Structure formats: C-alpha cells, structure tokens
Amino acid sequence: MAATDPKLLKVDNSDKGEFVRAKSVFRDWITADGSSGFPSEAGRYHLYVSLACPWAHRTLIVRKLKGLEDVISCDVVDLVLDGEGWSFSDKSPNCTLDTVNGCSRLREVYRIANPDYDGRITVPVLWDKQKKTVVNNESSEILRMLNSEFNAFCSTEDQRELDYYPEHLRTDIDAVNEWIYPMINNGVYRSGFATSQEAYDVAVRDVFQGLDKIEDILSKSRYLTGKSLTEADIRLFTTLIRFDVVYVGHFKCNKKRIVDYPNMWGYLRDLYQVPGVADTVNFEHITKHYMGSHTMINPTRIVSIGPDIDFTTPHGREAMQERND
C-alpha cells in the first residue's frame, strides 16, 4: 500500500467512521529481461519518498541492503504536508528538490504521467526517467522489484545474492503478510484515523491482537518465517520502529508499547542493527510529519518531546538463531 495525503485529500472514512485506504493506481513492473516494457537499467529509475512514511521506508531499506543507491536515484519530499499536499524543498533537513522533473509538488509529477490524474497523491513513487511516467506506486510491489530485478547492478556479489522473497519461503511470507497488513501495518492508521468510538475500538483491538500474535511467533523464531530475514520482517519493521515514537500517543495505540513485549523489543533492535537499516530511519521526519500534518488529530501541531529509546543496545536474538538452526 501507499501513504495517503490526508490533509490535502482528506481521510476517507465509512459511514461508521472506519478509515478506508485507497488502492494504488500505477501497477506496472520493471523486469530484468525487459519483457514488461520496463527493463531494469542503472540510472533509468527514480524513487520519490517521504522519510516519515512507513510504506516508502520499505523501499528505502531494500534499496540500501541490495546496494542500489547509485543505481536508483531518490528525492525526499518535505517533512510536513501543507494545504497543497506533498511538496519539494531543500530548506528542511534531509529533504530535496525534485531533481528529475523540477516540480514543486508531487501532484505535478503524477500529472506528467497522466494529465487527467485526480486520484490520491501517494509515496513511494517509482519513476521512469526515460518514458517520463510513473511505473508503480504500490510499495509492496516496488519492494519486490528492488529485491529481484536489479541484481545485475548490485554493488557486491553478496548483495546480489540477497533474496528477501525466496521461493521456498513465499507461502509462509505471503501468509504472515496477509494478516500483518490489515491488523498492524494499516491497523495503526485505522485506529488513528477512526472518527467513531466503535471504529476505533475494532481497529485498536486488531492492532494488539496482531502484536500479541507476533510476540508469540518471535518467542520461537528469530524472524517471522524462521531463521532468515525476509520482506515480511522489513514490512513489519517500518511499523514497529514508529510505534512507540508516534503510534502510541498520536494514533491512540497505547494499550502496550513495543518495549513492553520482550521478544518483539529484542527483534526490533535486531532489525535496526542490521548494517544499513539504521541509515534509513529518520525520527525527526517521523515525529514532525505525523504530529505536524494530521491536523484533524493534532490541531495545534505541537510535536511531543519523547520517548527516549535506545535501539542500539544488545538484542540477544542470536540465541534464538541457534535454536532455529
């Protein structure tokens, strides 16, 4: 899924106050053999992302781990949404101008691809510089393209061999993704954007039932599907790393914190400490975006001071790896 632009386009809710996420629209694929019409090439493709967005964060992690930073360029939208949506600026820390199309707004990029486009303006966006169009704006599909279709361009042989969606684990990965997405990844948004007590109660119950299920899995296994880090872990990580920082307070997911789950807290630190992953995490963007953009939740736009969390302490999950071997 992709991150919505709630301030500009308003959050869609059902008659019962339930948050309804719009589906991604651009769904073409880049393939190594070029059979899709979008062949994988170094320097041809570009990512538009927000460092605050968990969906965009997925793609940045795989781009980093696969050694594709010099292969696929990237621009970062501004931290906070204003009345016109996602914008480009080099005045905020770690944000950029649009270096490919020279646009001031992400909506302008979408309209280069389709002048009649009037749908959601979301990140991430995978852009084809040659055809001047959006290839895909569905994060789960972009993640898989980066995982498998650019192996010829990875920086090292080890990175080329990394596979976060290995064939022998695909059934297991798909199975956990199927319930983690609605219960946890999107569940925090369903809780935070609910406009009725009934909708919130249902959503937040799903979140913590899902987290309890994760805790149980991690009590027996280092990763979600065994002893190997997969896309399922990456997809979950981008929600967990934001949970105690913004979702507990901002989205009212305050029954428990991740630090209150012994296995999940160690697992989160384990993933954070994978070389390269911490480089993709920007807590300033995360906190300022959520608390400064969602004025329907936080009309004063005051950004909270904490919590203080150290993700670099020893995690002890190596012992779990030994049990899985």
Side-chain angles (χ1 to χ4, degrees):
M1 298 298 291
T4 58
D5 179 342
K7 184 173 172 58
L8 174 63
L9 294 168
K10 297 187 172 23
V11 173
D12 288 332
N13 290 83
S14 71
D15 292 339
K16 294 182 179 180
E18 301 160 320
F19 168 61
V20 180
R21 184 176 294 279
K23 292 184 178 180
S24 301
V25 174
F26 295 90
R27 306 295 286 272
D28 287 316
W29 279 73
I30 297 168
T31 51
D33 62 9
S35 59
S36 64
F38 294 94
S40 60
E41 297 175 9
R44 174 168 173 170
Y45 300 100
H46 184 77
L47 272 172
Y48 289 105
V49 301
S50 161
L51 300 184
C53 168
W55 320 106
H57 193 180
R58 301 171 170 183
T59 67
L60 290 176
I61 291 174
V62 178
R63 174 176 173 262
K64 179 75 174 182
L65 296 182
K66 292 286 286 186
L68 297 174
E69 291 176 298
D70 293 333
V71 176
I72 301 169
S73 53
C74 181
D75 282 327
V76 179
V77 295
D78 206 2
L79 287 75
V80 179
L81 291 168
D82 60 22
E84 297 297 321
W86 298 110
S87 64
F88 297 100
S89 170
D90 59 359
K91 294 182 173 59
S92 299
N94 301 114
C95 296
T96 69
L97 298 173
D98 178 1
T99 61
V100 172
N101 291 297
C103 295
S104 61
R105 301 279 176 182
L106 188 60
R107 60 159 60 210
E108 298 169 20
V109 175
Y110 272 75
R111 287 175 180 166
I112 294 173
N114 178 0
D116 298 322
Y117 184 78
D118 63 355
R120 293 284 189 182
I121 309 300
T122 66
V123 287
V125 172
L126 184 58
W127 179 263
D128 183 344
K129 299 176 188 177
Q130 186 177 114
K131 291 189 175 182
K132 297 187 182 303
T133 193
V134 175
V135 180
N136 198 293
N137 68 338
E138 168 53 53
S139 66
S140 62
E141 294 174 356
I142 296 172
L143 185 156
R144 289 188 180 174
M145 286 182 241
L146 301 185
N147 175 63
S148 63
E149 304 306 316
F150 289 86
N151 284 337
F153 309 104
C154 293
S155 298
T156 68
E157 182 64 31
D158 287 344
Q159 290 169 324
R160 188 173 297 118
E161 293 178 358
L162 289 173
D163 186 359
Y164 298 109
Y165 191 56
E167 190 168 353
H168 71 286
L169 289 176
R170 288 181 182 178
T171 299
D172 294 338
I173 293 169
D174 291 343
V176 295
N177 284 343
E178 186 174 355
W179 59 266
I180 287 175
Y181 168 73
M183 296 184 78
I184 301 173
N185 296 139
N186 198 45
V188 293
Y189 284 88
R190 290 168 49 223
S191 299
F193 289 153
T195 55
S196 72
Q197 187 69 50
E198 178 185 8
Y200 165 78
D201 289 345
V202 170
V204 79
R205 182 171 63 247
D206 284 350
V207 169
F208 287 97
Q209 286 179 348
L211 291 178
D212 288 345
K213 191 172 181 179
I214 293 293
E215 178 70 4
D216 182 62
I217 292 171
L218 296 177
S219 71
K220 307 176 183 71
S221 173
R222 183 172 185 179
Y223 302 111
L224 290 175
T225 57
K227 61 183 181 180
S228 300
L229 176 69
T230 72
E231 72 161 45
D233 301 293
I234 293 170
R235 288 169 53 133
L236 178 60
F237 171 81
T238 60
T239 297
L240 297 188
I241 198 69
R242 288 161 172 76
F243 199 90
D244 289 4
V245 176
V246 290
Y247 298 150
V248 168
H250 187 65
F251 277 173
K252 304 180 183 71
C253 295
N254 61 349
K255 182 180 179 182
K256 292 177 73 174
R257 303 163 301 166
I258 301 304
V259 297
D260 297 323
Y261 290 94
N263 293 293
M264 204 178 330
W265 173 223
Y267 165 82
L268 179 55
R269 302 198 311 279
D270 190 1
L271 298 184
Y272 182 84
Q273 292 170 33
V274 171
V277 170
D279 296 338
T280 69
V281 179
N282 189 305
F283 288 113
E284 180 181 11
H285 277 236
I286 290 168
T287 55
K288 289 184 177 179
H289 167 75
Y290 280 93
M291 299 178 197
S293 299
H294 302 156
T295 54
M296 73 290 284
I297 298 173
N298 184 28
T300 63
R301 293 186 172 183
I302 293 173
V303 179
S304 60
I305 193 173
D308 291 331
I309 305 175
D310 187 354
F311 295 96
T312 66
T313 58
H315 52 75
R317 299 290 291 176
E318 299 91 349
M320 187 64 66
Q321 183 78 2
E322 294 173 3
R323 287 175 54 184
N324 294 155
D325 288 339

